[in-house]
Amino acid sequence: MQFKLQHTDPGSKARAAEMITDHGSIKTPIFMPVGTVASVKGVHQRELREEIDPDIILGNTYHLYLRPKPEILQQAGGLHAFMGWDRNILTDSGGYQVYSLSGNRKIREEGVKFKSHIDGSTHMFTPERVMEIQRIIGADIIMAFDECTPYPCDYKYAERSMHMTHRWLERCITHLEKTPLLYDYSQTFFPIVQGSTYKDLRKQSAEYIAGVGAEGNAIGGLSVGEPAEEMYGMTEVVCDILPEDKPRYLMGVGTPINLLENIALGIDMFDCVMPTRNGRNGMLFTAEGTINIKNKKWENDFSAIDEHGPTFVDKEYSKAYLRHLFVANEYLGKQIATIHNLGFYLWLVREARNHILAGDFTPWKAKMVKQMDKRL
Amino acid sequence: MQFKLQHTDPGSKARAAEMITDHGSIKTPIFMPVGTVASVKGVHQRELREEIDPDIILGNTYHLYLRPKPEILQQAGGLHAFMGWDRNILTDSGGYQVYSLSGNRKIREEGVKFKSHIDGSTHMFTPERVMEIQRIIGADIIMAFDECTPYPCDYKYAERSMHMTHRWLERCITHLEKTPLLYDYSQTFFPIVQGSTYKDLRKQSAEYIAGVGAEGNAIGGLSVGEPAEEMYGMTEVVCDILPEDKPRYLMGVGTPINLLENIALGIDMFDCVMPTRNGRNGMLFTAEGTINIKNKKWENDFSAIDEHGPTFVDKEYSKAYLRHLFVANEYLGKQIATIHNLGFYLWLVREARNHILAGDFTPWKAKMVKQMDKRL
């Protein structure tokens, strides 16, 4: 993978860059739509490509491991071929889902034993196994197997967990070297900084991770319930340590405002279920603030959903029609809201990039944060 | 509305024709996708237009009356404007839903008192009220308010009900004349033949309906559980009586084979929830037979869903991927199956039309009926 830093904002640590993999270019800052089980919920691949237009999407190793299972993905020739997506894919390591979805999991030095949230069957994820699974899924960027600590997390636990995550990282790297590529394109491995909300642990972890010399680095364990200010504090500490000439990925973040604030701190990559999940619940993000489309106030508002929005749904459907679909529990409503929200998120990171390149990111960000904080 | 008969099949009573309304041309035979509550479930209007390409869709008066309600539709300027569909729309009269969805309804000469299946609130549909509601919805073709008898239905009940449907028809016509158009295009009214599965009643009703001299005529009360042969028997009796120079619409029918058999008997128009509802349950209709995509046999079949299918989903997604979406309960699966099935239904009626025009409908139909009867 190539990484070219293109411009740094004079008023902040925001950067515009380009990553190039065998599945094409990823212009950063980037937001990666979440395609949990080989589908961005309710969105056709064609709409994703042509309307939302991300250079990269995310798949979840935990979900893909359970369904359709690695055998099927391998027979298909990997996730790209299976789902019909020829741009970049990143897979997480499954760690987060094992902790959050599986009611019954035991974390040991060896790895994590867990029960499937679907049928209760027992499975074991080790750093080695997760590397093998990610080779089979075949994403362009694959993640280290880590422990994602909850919030709040006591210091002792966070420290022990961080050290285990570092030991697991060594096992991931060792095993990955022994596990050949399965398809005709390469995969890039990112390690993950942990350390909960403790600055000294974050610093220690960031130094450890930076020392590994990977082609890109991630920050995990944030956006798990801590106040935004604490998240920004951790991002700042970590970004100061992670190498400037490598992409930085903040996992699981966040609101549109979280994106801009973290871009200002030097983050290049994001993913989050918020635009899709909140969209399915009738919450729309716009440049002027958020909309709860179920509110009666939209009942006879026949104006376009978002007249400045980049996707076809923004102009082709009215707020009143979209509200009706939610009230009548018609799935098309969820489809429309999802496309709108993802379209907006991708527009937002493209705009951020344009303003970084133009040198006026900081004043633009200040204006946008103020606007987007409103409820319409 | 204009109706131009273009060609009649030498080997059957199948006809190719064209209807022209203020919202454009409808080439027949036609299948009308069902857009119950102002949405063909899971399908964007753009996909409907560009991929499935029907000249006309159907809306349900009962559902639209309850949600979004006539006031909202009137403020929007009618259903076309509300949902963003600029081709033809037909609305049923709400009769069928009142009988099938509302647990609690009382049928009287005056009309039908019923409880909403959504909130249990009490409402009254009379022939007059239903004409007013259909003026507000603003479909291009609107239907008489009738009683749709169940199957089986005893003779006495069927006879009494048929006479009431005829009396209601007079009230519909009288009231419609007094109810002005609300929008800048005209509406065409179709009366409905009833009579259950009794040939003498069907004959009597068809003669009554033909005598009204409407611009198009419908056959109701079929596809309610009777054997297909009984349905064809009734269609045949009725088509022999309904005028040849007016379109004939068989309501609520049916399977792909039902469509071809009824086209052969002189039917021009159809609607049915089968392609959409069965699609959402994982049943695909194809020219080579039906597919239950949930079956394990498709698990690693990476071939296109339907390599000869007319829509983008047919070639862009594999059977294994579609099966995975159904197994993982991902809504995109329902979206894909719906587009596939509607695309197939519309392809089927377009092909039927082409073969009628070419003069070889009968042998083509025989071949298709045999093929489509298979389970793949």
Side-chain angles (χ1 to χ4, degrees):
Chain A
M1 189 189 76
Q2 291 177 56
F3 180 75
K4 297 186 236 171
L5 202 55
Q6 295 171 312
H7 205 84
T8 306
D9 180 53
S12 73
K13 289 175 183 155
R15 345 84 63 91
E18 186 178 12
M19 297 158 68
I20 300 172
T21 77
D22 291 339
H23 280 103
S25 154
I26 304 164
K27 297 214 166 63
T28 66
I30 184 72
F31 177 82
M32 301 180 279
V34 177
T36 304
V37 211
S39 162
V40 175
K41 290 186 194 305
V43 181
H44 285 284
Q45 274 71 317
R46 189 172 85 152
E47 292 165 338
L48 199 55
R49 231 170 15 237
E50 295 172 12
E51 298 289 327
I52 299 163
D53 198 19
D55 294 331
I56 178 166
I57 64 172
L58 181 140
N60 290 121
T61 291
Y62 169 86
H63 291 282
L64 294 165
Y65 164 79
L66 293 174
R67 289 185 306 210
K69 301 193 198 309
E71 308 83 281
I72 299 295
L73 288 168
Q74 186 160 2
Q75 286 178 52
L79 179 57
H80 293 83
F82 182 66
M83 69 181 287
W85 177 254
D86 61 5
R87 299 189 190 170
N88 285 282
I89 301 177
L90 178 149
T91 41
D92 64 10
S93 65
Y96 179 76
Q97 278 75 27
V98 165
Y99 310 120
S100 62
L101 286 179
S102 173
N104 217 324
R105 77 279 186 292
K106 286 200 181 114
I107 306 171
R108 299 276 180 274
E109 184 68 27
E110 169 64 8
V112 186
K113 194 182 243 187
F114 63 96
K115 289 200 167 158
S116 156
H117 73 290
I118 301 162
D119 62 6
S121 55
T122 303
H123 302 264
M124 178 87 182
F125 271 3
T126 61
E128 291 78 11
R129 181 74 184 120
V130 167
M131 292 305 104
E132 289 165 6
I133 297 168
Q134 289 191 93
R135 276 284 193 246
I136 295 172
I137 297 172
D140 302 278
I141 301 175
I142 63 179
M143 304 300 299
F145 188 59
D146 61 340
E147 182 182 2
C148 177
T149 51
Y151 178 84
C153 178
D154 76 58
Y155 187 88
K156 277 278 165 216
Y157 189 93
E159 187 179 25
R160 270 206 319 271
S161 168
M162 177 194 79
H163 286 300
M164 188 177 70
T165 286
H166 295 170
R167 290 190 298 274
W168 283 1
L169 173 57
E170 300 302 327
R171 287 167 57 190
C172 286
I173 293 169
T174 304
H175 198 73
L176 200 58
E177 281 167 6
K178 291 190 275 187
T179 312
L181 285 169
L182 283 174
Y183 314 114
D184 61 353
Y185 53 87
S186 61
Q187 296 187 289
T188 303
F189 172 82
F190 282 23
I192 304 172
V193 172
Q194 289 287 350
S196 186
T197 47
Y198 302 104
K199 284 201 179 174
D200 64 321
L201 296 183
R202 284 287 172 184
K203 205 169 162 238
Q204 205 180 327
S205 187
E207 280 162 0
Y208 189 92
I209 298 304
V212 164
E215 291 187 71
N217 298 292
I219 309 174
L222 293 175
S223 202
V224 291
E226 77 286 358
E229 292 310 319
E230 256 187 291
M231 179 208 298
Y232 303 147
M234 295 303 120
T235 305
E236 192 169 15
V237 167
V238 173
C239 284
D240 279 353
I241 297 167
L242 292 180
E244 265 195 63
D245 60 346
K246 302 287 165 62
R248 298 175 187 138
Y249 163 30
L250 180 58
M251 303 181 80
V253 172
T255 65
I257 292 173
N258 291 160
L259 262 56
L260 298 193
E261 295 295 359
N262 283 298
I263 288 171
L265 297 169
I267 296 293
D268 308 297
M269 303 166 70
F270 300 89
D271 78 283
C272 190
V273 294
M274 192 172 270
T276 41
R277 181 175 293 165
N278 291 22
R280 293 198 302 279
N281 290 322
M283 184 178 175
L284 308 182
F285 296 99
T286 81
E288 282 78 37
T290 57
I291 290 176
N292 178 350
I293 200 68
K294 293 177 182 173
N295 280 348
K296 198 167 166 66
K297 68 182 287 191
W298 310 113
E299 187 180 43
N300 59 359
D301 184 331
F302 301 107
S303 66
I305 292 173
D306 184 356
E307 62 179 308
H308 304 300
T311 74
F312 76 98
V313 303
D314 294 311
K315 288 171 201 71
E316 284 188 18
Y317 300 110
S318 71
K319 295 183 184 81
Y321 180 65
L322 182 57
R323 177 186 186 267
H324 158 69
L325 295 176
F326 271 95
V327 170
N329 204 21
E330 282 288 311
Y331 203 89
L332 184 61
K334 298 181 199 286
Q335 296 171 228
I336 293 170
T338 301
I339 292 176
H340 163 78
N341 277 352
L342 286 178
F344 173 68
Y345 265 63
L346 269 295
W347 171 87
L348 187 69
V349 292
R350 279 194 300 268
E351 278 295 291
R353 178 179 161 86
N354 291 340
H355 286 283
I356 294 166
L357 292 172
D360 64 351
F361 172 77
T362 300
W364 173 80
K365 190 203 85 166
K367 187 192 75 176
M368 289 301 295
V369 165
K370 205 172 158 189
Q371 272 178 214
M372 294 191 302
D373 205 28
K374 289 187 198 139
R375 287 180 172 241
L376 301 180
Chain B
M1 189 189 75
Q2 291 177 56
F3 180 75
K4 297 186 236 171
L5 203 54
Q6 295 172 312
H7 205 81
T8 305
D9 180 53
S12 73
K13 290 176 183 155
R15 335 100 57 86
E18 186 178 10
M19 299 158 67
I20 299 171
T21 76
D22 291 339
H23 280 103
S25 157
I26 304 164
K27 298 215 166 62
T28 67
I30 184 73
F31 177 83
M32 301 180 279
V34 177
T36 305
V37 211
S39 162
V40 175
K41 290 188 195 303
V43 182
H44 285 284
Q45 275 70 320
R46 189 173 84 152
E47 291 165 339
L48 199 56
R49 232 173 12 239
E50 294 172 14
E51 298 290 327
I52 299 163
D53 198 20
D55 295 331
I56 178 167
I57 62 171
L58 180 140
N60 291 120
T61 291
Y62 168 87
H63 290 282
L64 294 166
Y65 164 78
L66 293 175
R67 290 185 304 208
K69 299 190 197 313
E71 309 83 282
I72 298 296
L73 288 168
Q74 185 159 3
Q75 287 177 54
L79 179 57
H80 292 83
F82 182 66
M83 69 182 287
W85 177 254
D86 61 4
R87 299 190 190 171
N88 285 281
I89 302 177
L90 178 149
T91 41
D92 65 8
S93 65
Y96 179 76
Q97 278 75 26
V98 165
Y99 309 121
S100 62
L101 285 181
S102 171
N104 216 324
R105 75 283 186 289
K106 285 198 180 117
I107 307 171
R108 299 275 179 276
E109 185 68 27
E110 169 65 8
V112 185
K113 194 183 242 183
F114 63 96
K115 289 200 167 157
S116 156
H117 73 290
I118 301 161
D119 62 7
S121 54
T122 303
H123 303 265
M124 178 86 182
F125 271 3
T126 62
E128 292 78 11
R129 181 72 184 121
V130 167
M131 292 305 105
E132 289 165 6
I133 297 167
Q134 288 191 92
R135 277 283 194 248
I136 295 172
I137 297 173
D140 302 277
I141 301 176
I142 64 179
M143 303 300 299
F145 188 58
D146 62 339
E147 183 182 1
C148 177
T149 52
Y151 177 84
C153 178
D154 77 57
Y155 187 88
K156 277 280 165 213
Y157 189 93
E159 187 179 26
R160 271 207 318 274
S161 169
M162 177 195 77
H163 287 300
M164 188 176 71
T165 285
H166 296 169
R167 291 191 297 276
W168 283 2
L169 173 56
E170 300 301 327
R171 286 168 58 192
C172 286
I173 293 169
T174 305
H175 197 74
L176 201 57
E177 281 167 3
K178 290 191 276 188
T179 311
L181 286 168
L182 282 174
Y183 314 114
D184 61 353
Y185 53 86
S186 62
Q187 295 186 290
T188 303
F189 173 82
F190 282 23
I192 304 172
V193 173
Q194 287 289 349
S196 187
T197 48
Y198 302 104
K199 283 202 178 175
D200 63 322
L201 296 183
R202 284 286 173 183
K203 205 169 162 237
Q204 206 180 323
S205 187
E207 281 161 359
Y208 189 92
I209 297 305
V212 164
E215 291 186 71
N217 299 292
I219 309 174
L222 292 175
S223 202
V224 292
E226 77 284 358
E229 291 310 319
E230 259 189 286
M231 178 209 296
Y232 303 147
M234 296 301 120
T235 304
E236 190 167 19
V237 168
V238 173
C239 284
D240 280 352
I241 297 167
L242 292 180
E244 266 194 63
D245 61 344
K246 302 287 164 63
R248 300 174 187 139
Y249 163 31
L250 180 57
M251 304 179 80
V253 174
T255 65
I257 292 174
N258 292 160
L259 262 56
L260 297 193
E261 296 295 358
N262 283 298
I263 287 170
L265 297 169
I267 297 292
D268 308 298
M269 302 165 71
F270 300 89
D271 80 282
C272 190
V273 294
M274 191 171 271
T276 41
R277 182 175 294 165
N278 291 22
R280 294 197 301 279
N281 290 323
M283 184 181 175
L284 307 183
F285 296 100
T286 81
E288 283 78 37
T290 56
I291 289 176
N292 179 351
I293 200 67
K294 292 176 182 173
N295 279 348
K296 197 167 167 67
K297 69 182 286 192
W298 309 114
E299 187 180 43
N300 58 359
D301 183 331
F302 302 108
S303 66
I305 292 174
D306 183 357
E307 62 180 309
H308 304 299
T311 73
F312 76 98
V313 302
D314 295 311
K315 287 171 202 72
E316 284 188 17
Y317 300 110
S318 72
K319 296 184 184 79
Y321 180 65
L322 183 57
R323 176 186 187 266
H324 158 69
L325 295 176
F326 272 95
V327 170
N329 203 23
E330 282 288 310
Y331 203 89
L332 183 63
K334 298 180 197 289
Q335 297 171 226
I336 292 170
T338 301
I339 292 176
H340 163 79
N341 278 351
L342 286 177
F344 173 68
Y345 265 62
L346 270 294
W347 172 86
L348 187 69
V349 293
R350 277 193 302 267
E351 278 296 290
R353 179 180 160 85
N354 291 340
H355 286 283
I356 295 166
L357 292 172
D360 65 351
F361 172 78
T362 300
W364 174 79
K365 189 203 84 165
K367 187 192 75 175
M368 289 301 294
V369 164
K370 204 172 158 192
Q371 271 179 217
M372 293 191 303
D373 206 26
K374 289 187 199 137
R375 284 177 175 243
L376 301 180

